[in-house]
Amino acid sequence: MKVWQLAYPHNLQHVLAPDLKISSDKVKVKVTKALLTESDVSVYSGAIKVKAPFIPGRFAIGQVTEAGEDSFVKKGERVYLAGVTEDELAPDGLKVAGETTDGFYRDFVVAGSDDVYSLPASVSDEAAFLIDAVALAERIIDEMHVSVGQHILVLGGGLYSNVLCQILIYHRAVPILADNNTERLARAKKCGIYYTFPNDETLKQNVLKVTGGKFADGAVYMAYANRSEPSVLFPLVKRDAYVSFCAPTCKSLHVNLEYALKNNVTIKGITESREFVSTAINLLANKAVNYSEFPYCSFKEEELPSLMEKYANILGSGANMPEEMDILKFIF
């Protein structure tokens, strides 16, 4: 089979690798599409340290080509490959595709039946790449014990924040989205998110206006495509509120806890959501998320090295990745 192998930072090569064999409880999946993410670019550039040779690729979908008799998965099924799985030998009990273990930029993957998720026909390939965002939103809502009618302030207007706000609405909570990017705020409006405000000196008054002068019941800082100061959330929530900080596993945040300590705030740190993947697939199947406004771009897998280099230069300059969803097609 063929794999995209990182020999060292900024050197991604298409090389041959031995064919994979399955056992009775495993399945073999032909990767058909994979997503290009900030985490993958950080691995490529060396910002995330990996032991070479290494295969990047955090998110992918594919088709089952072989299924062991004890796998409970059928040959020919279209599946989503889990980006985070359990690993008893890892310090934190997890392995992350494309970061702590070889990822999905390759022709074939062998996985356990618990690590692949069948995709119903009502979930398109494009929608499948929102599974992580929807699952993360479900975990946030669960961890923060969000209830009907609560006002939840979300800081950061990227794709993950947009999806979180839509899932909050699905659960009949009231999201307040704040961002300093007018394009992202406009997209949120088109997706049905009513309260959208600039993240500036007017935010406090806008939050008070929406909540009737009582501040938000909880808040979420999304580090995805967000470089705002995280600590600004604490003065905008009620006493004893929950505040969650969400980021990819590779990202670090520096947070001033002064206001959090004064207001007895409960802080949650969330980086993955493997327990909510099935829930996310069901929500997408039921059209709980409007993704028609999200920009999608499709590329052949041969364009992967040039895309990686392009985005590595962008991240190296201190800028954010573009808002588009870059999907790579792997020829079946």
Side-chain angles (χ1 to χ4, degrees), residues 113-175:
S113 56
D114 291 337
D115 302 330
V116 297
Y117 296 83
S118 297
L119 292 172
S122 56
V123 176
S124 68
D125 289 351
E126 290 75 17
F129 286 113
L130 296 175
I131 289 172
D132 187 63
V134 177
L136 187 71
E138 282 292 309
R139 183 176 176 191
I140 291 167
I141 290 168
D142 181 73
E143 292 272 354
M144 292 178 61
H145 306 287
V146 174
S147 57
V148 174
Q150 282 193 324
H151 292 88
I152 306 298
L153 175 61
V154 179
L155 188 60
L159 183 144
Y160 274 72
S161 300
N162 187 307
V163 168
L164 170 59
C165 289
Q166 292 193 55
I167 297 300
L168 283 165
I169 292 170
Y170 179 85
H171 287 280
R172 296 189 291 167
V174 183

Side-chain angles (χ1 to χ4, degrees), residues 30-275:
K30 174 66 179 75
V31 175
T32 54
K33 292 180 182 177
L35 192 65
L36 178 60
T37 69
E38 183 176 336
S39 296
D40 301 316
V41 177
S42 296
V43 169
Y44 170 82
S45 67
I48 296 178
K49 305 299 181 185
V50 296
K51 186 177 180 181
F54 188 79
I55 304 171
R58 174 73 178 271
F59 301 110
I61 59 175
Q63 187 171 4
V64 176
T65 57
E66 295 181 47
E69 58 184 10
D70 299 326
S71 67
F72 304 105
V73 180
K74 295 179 181 178
K75 181 179 178 180
E77 282 195 77
R78 186 172 60 108
V79 295
Y80 172 80
L81 291 157
V84 179
T85 54
E86 294 185 5
D87 182 3
E88 295 179 355
L89 300 179
D92 59 358
L94 301 174
K95 59 181 179 182
V96 182
E99 287 186 29
T100 63
T101 189
D102 280 335
F104 300 135
Y105 291 158
R106 45 179 159 164
D107 284 355
F108 292 95
V109 174
V110 167
S113 56
D114 291 337
D115 302 330
V116 297
Y117 296 83
S118 297
L119 292 172
S122 56
V123 176
S124 68
D125 289 351
E126 290 75 17
F129 286 113
L130 296 175
I131 289 172
D132 187 63
V134 177
L136 187 71
E138 282 292 309
R139 183 176 176 191
I140 291 167
I141 290 168
D142 181 73
E143 292 272 354
M144 292 178 61
H145 306 287
V146 174
S147 57
V148 174
Q150 282 193 324
H151 292 88
I152 306 298
L153 175 61
V154 179
L155 188 60
L159 183 144
Y160 274 72
S161 300
N162 187 307
V163 168
L164 170 59
C165 289
Q166 292 193 55
I167 297 300
L168 283 165
I169 292 170
Y170 179 85
H171 287 280
R172 296 189 291 167
V174 183
I176 304 170
L177 181 63
D179 191 44
N180 51 17
N181 183 299
T182 55
E183 182 181 345
R184 292 199 290 251
L185 291 178
R187 182 179 300 125
K189 283 283 189 185
K190 292 178 181 178
C191 291
I193 302 163
Y194 186 76
Y195 294 117
T196 61
F197 301 112
N199 178 23
D200 58 20
E201 66 279 358
T202 66
L203 180 57
K204 179 178 179 179
Q205 289 304 315
N206 283 322
V207 171
L208 287 170
K209 184 178 179 180
V210 172
T211 61
K214 298 178 181 179
F215 287 116
D217 297 291
V220 181
Y221 181 92
M222 282 288 192
Y224 302 80
N226 186 6
R227 297 184 184 276
S228 303
E229 166 56 45
S231 310
V232 301
L233 289 175
F234 297 130
L236 301 176
V237 297
K238 295 177 180 177
R239 185 170 179 81
D240 300 318
Y242 283 93
V243 174
S244 292
F245 294 91
C246 307
T249 52
C250 63
K251 205 157 189 171
S252 61
L253 290 176
H254 300 280
V255 184
N256 185 331
L257 297 179
E258 180 183 357
Y259 275 98
L261 294 172
K262 287 180 181 179
N263 289 324
N264 199 35
V265 168
T266 298
I267 296 171
K268 296 282 187 178
I270 300 174
T271 59
E272 58 83 23
S273 51
R274 68 191 186 284
E275 296 175 359

